[in-house]
Amino acid sequence: MFRNQYDTDVTTWSPAGRLFQVEYAMEAVKQGSAAIGLRSKTHVVLACVNKAQSELSSHQRKIFKVDDHIGVAIAGLTADGRVLSRYMRSECINYSFTYESPLPVGRLVVQLADKAQVCTQRSWKRPYGVGLLVAGLDESGAHLYYNCPSGNYFEYQAFAIGSRSQAAKTYLERRFESFNDSSRDELVKDALIAVRETLQGETLKSSICTVAVVGINEDGTNEPFHILDQDAVQKLIDAFEIVKEPATEAPAAAEPEGADGAGASDAAQDPPAPAAADEGAAPMEI
Amino acid sequence: MSRFSPYDNNGGSCVAIAGADYCVIASDTRMSTGYNILTRDHSKIYKLADKCILASSGFQADMKALQKLLAARHLIYQHQHNKQMSCPAMGQLLSNTLYYKRFFPYYTFNVLGGLDNEGKGCVYTYDAVGSYERVGYSAQGSGSVLIMPFLDNQLKSPSPLLLPAQV
């Protein structure tokens, strides 16, 4: 990309006031496979594209459970993402231990951002090459944050990162105003459609994407952060894939009518509990 | 002048009995100090994992601290191994945790009950500094000296793997 004399080290400013190493780190995020997050007043959904390196290998893990009320999706250098997830888990455990209550999401993202900033101001370090979409629930509601390698963080209604995320962002920009009042299932559907946008024509299958949800159910009980089971995701994909996504309003409303009867009634009447009940025995199913 | 003591005995007892495919864990709910009752409604039992329950008696502050520590360690284990801890694994962790404070011990007398890796009932009994043993049944706490002889008489079965004889 840029080859110039100010990009050797993260502690060197360019004459234009830029830190090139930090910008290059953000490039690494753009090269990773897509990750998408959306939130409503009560739920946050994370979805990501999970491509395996080859048919012989397993898929790269991109969504991590951090605590019952927080989860994270990463794009970029997954090794850096794994290390940061471990840090986040440890922070949550320590906070719960001391205060006997869950760590507020806003606090966690600040700590994460400060940790990233340190790497932009030490000559013997390099910035983390991973972008994190942090989804969480706390007393002030549902939140979605994006943490960058630069040490900045922003709160979003919906966001997409990684390669071909612009296609997903375009879809999200069209629909985001309705997300706050969306139901959990509509939100998951929108997340899947956004993932499909990044695939540029490739068929959306549950084997190449992962979806995770956290939220508060209508009856006040919590839905802890968990990754949806592959079969459940495939059923949802089937329900809306049958009708091609209409260009304008209410694709979520139009699809169940047009779709196969059994699949649609399944998805439309899916109460929040069954997706969690679908889970196997592993409690930290990641 | 009586010296400050970092410990207090909040009394109470715990029992656990292992069966072929089950385990029963029980405790009383009285919390006292000296001759005074602080509450009649405080459980000494804490669920650490799906198949592992801790019952402790002794100094309530140390009991609580131990429960919190083990619960946090269990969460870390789950993150690292993607599964819940087995009772034998927790048994070893508890022993190590207690011995860690060999020179300022947790004033807790513990009984760990649950199911082992084969689904059979298991009970581990501990002293304050982590010496432990798997047994078929055990009691700890102020009433242990009264309860153990009763269990010995009724259960007549030292082997941990046999179903205790019918009462």
Side-chain angles (χ1 to χ4, degrees):
Chain A
M1 260 190 58
F2 330 108
R3 272 299 186 84
N4 54 52
Q5 45 185 217
Y6 307 109
D7 66 356
T8 312
D9 184 306
V10 74
T11 51
T12 304
W13 288 99
S14 81
R18 293 157 71 172
L19 288 170
F20 282 112
Q21 280 297 306
V22 176
E23 294 183 24
Y24 297 166
M26 319 246 270
E27 262 322 290
V29 177
K30 295 183 201 159
Q31 302 298 328
S33 58
I36 287 146
L38 324 67
R39 82 163 156 92
S40 72
K41 238 184 331 222
T42 55
H43 285 80
V44 195
V45 177
L46 292 174
C48 66
V49 171
N50 255 37
K51 295 275 186 67
Q53 284 219 313
S54 79
E55 275 187 23
L56 299 168
S57 81
S58 64
H59 292 170
Q60 187 69 272
R61 260 211 308 202
K62 285 163 55 75
I63 296 189
F64 298 91
K65 175 169 175 167
V66 166
D67 203 345
D68 283 337
H69 66 297
I70 301 182
V72 62
I74 63 176
L77 263 52
T78 43
D80 284 359
R82 205 180 55 236
V83 159
L84 288 176
S85 305
R86 193 163 53 229
Y87 168 75
M88 291 165 79
R89 286 171 174 169
S90 158
E91 289 300 297
C92 284
I93 290 175
N94 289 333
Y95 187 94
S96 294
F97 185 92
T98 309
Y99 299 101
E100 299 245 342
S101 77
L103 176 57
V105 198
R107 297 267 187 96
L108 181 61
V109 294
V110 174
Q111 285 172 252
L112 203 50
D114 288 348
K115 196 170 161 69
Q117 191 280 339
V118 167
C119 297
T120 66
Q121 212 174 8
R122 305 279 185 273
S123 58
W124 62 89
K125 286 182 181 251
R126 64 157 177 83
Y128 287 106
V130 65
L132 300 111
L133 281 173
V134 183
L137 214 57
D138 58 29
E139 281 181 358
S140 52
H143 299 279
L144 174 69
Y145 289 93
Y146 171 54
N147 276 71
C148 306
S150 60
N152 279 331
Y153 68 97
F154 306 96
E155 183 160 11
Y156 285 96
Q157 185 77 50
F159 200 49
I161 56 177
S163 70
R164 297 193 282 228
S165 58
Q166 190 50 55
K169 270 190 258 194
T170 313
Y171 173 76
L172 295 171
E173 275 165 24
R174 281 207 304 270
R175 304 261 306 139
F176 79 95
E177 268 147 353
S178 65
F179 288 162
N180 230 11
D181 300 314
S182 286
S183 75
R184 174 201 184 276
D185 296 326
E186 286 166 14
L187 215 59
V188 174
K189 220 168 270 181
D190 276 319
L192 285 167
I193 297 176
V195 170
R196 193 182 57 184
E197 296 296 305
T198 68
L199 293 173
Q200 309 266 342
E202 206 188 312
T203 327
L204 176 64
K205 293 183 289 227
S206 63
S207 55
I208 55 166
C209 75
T210 312
V211 183
V213 191
V214 62
I216 313 180
N217 298 322
E218 271 155 20
D219 57 7
T221 58
N222 279 341
E223 184 178 351
F225 184 89
H226 66 286
I227 294 187
L228 299 187
D229 177 51
Q230 271 215 342
D231 295 327
V233 175
Q234 192 58 51
K235 269 203 313 210
L236 291 167
I237 293 174
D238 294 337
F240 71 72
E241 195 92 300
I242 295 168
V243 174
K244 198 166 187 307
E245 193 244 317
T248 45
E249 317 88 49
E255 276 136 13
E257 272 91 56
D260 181 40
S265 53
D266 248 341
Q269 286 154 21
D270 225 1
D278 273 346
E279 295 258 294
M284 293 266 155
E285 193 161 17
I286 308 283
Chain B
M1 278 306 283
S2 51
R3 213 165 154 263
F4 168 72
S5 168
Y7 297 114
D8 187 15
N9 187 357
N10 298 116
S13 325
C14 311
V15 199
I17 302 176
D21 60 352
Y22 62 88
C23 185
V24 185
I25 301 118
S27 77
D28 70 327
T29 57
R30 172 184 283 181
M31 189 170 129
S32 56
T33 173
Y35 287 120
N36 300 313
I37 296 180
L38 294 169
T39 179
R40 298 186 183 93
D41 199 13
H42 186 263
S43 172
K44 299 189 218 338
I45 297 184
Y46 190 80
K47 178 175 166 180
L48 291 172
D50 275 351
K51 301 194 178 163
C52 186
I53 314 260
L54 175 67
S56 358
S57 61
F59 179 38
Q60 196 261 351
D62 279 352
M63 280 155 55
K64 187 85 206 278
L66 190 60
Q67 288 164 4
K68 285 178 72 161
L69 214 160
L70 292 174
R73 288 298 301 270
H74 187 223
L75 246 188
I76 295 172
Y77 181 97
Q78 285 177 85
H79 280 134
Q80 291 175 340
H81 297 88
N82 234 29
K83 62 173 186 144
Q84 299 244 339
M85 264 176 107
S86 65
C87 198
M90 187 59 85
Q92 186 65 60
L93 178 64
L94 175 54
S95 171
N96 294 345
T97 306
L98 292 169
Y99 196 81
Y100 199 73
K101 284 191 25 100
R102 171 68 178 79
F103 301 111
F104 183 12
Y106 286 106
Y107 192 120
T108 57
F109 300 97
N110 306 291
V111 186
L112 193 71
L115 298 176
D116 65 13
N117 290 316
E118 293 160 20
K120 300 195 179 107
C122 73
V123 173
Y124 292 93
T125 189
Y126 297 78
D127 72 359
V129 285
S131 167
Y132 81 117
E133 184 190 3
R134 181 170 175 177
V135 289
Y137 57 91
S138 178
Q140 290 281 359
S142 10
S144 66
V145 293
L146 301 167
I147 298 170
M148 277 307 273
F150 171 75
L151 295 180
D152 289 336
N153 174 261
Q154 296 294 310
L155 299 177
K156 299 187 199 301
S157 165
S159 165
L161 301 177
L162 291 178
L163 186 68
Q166 296 302 311
V167 170

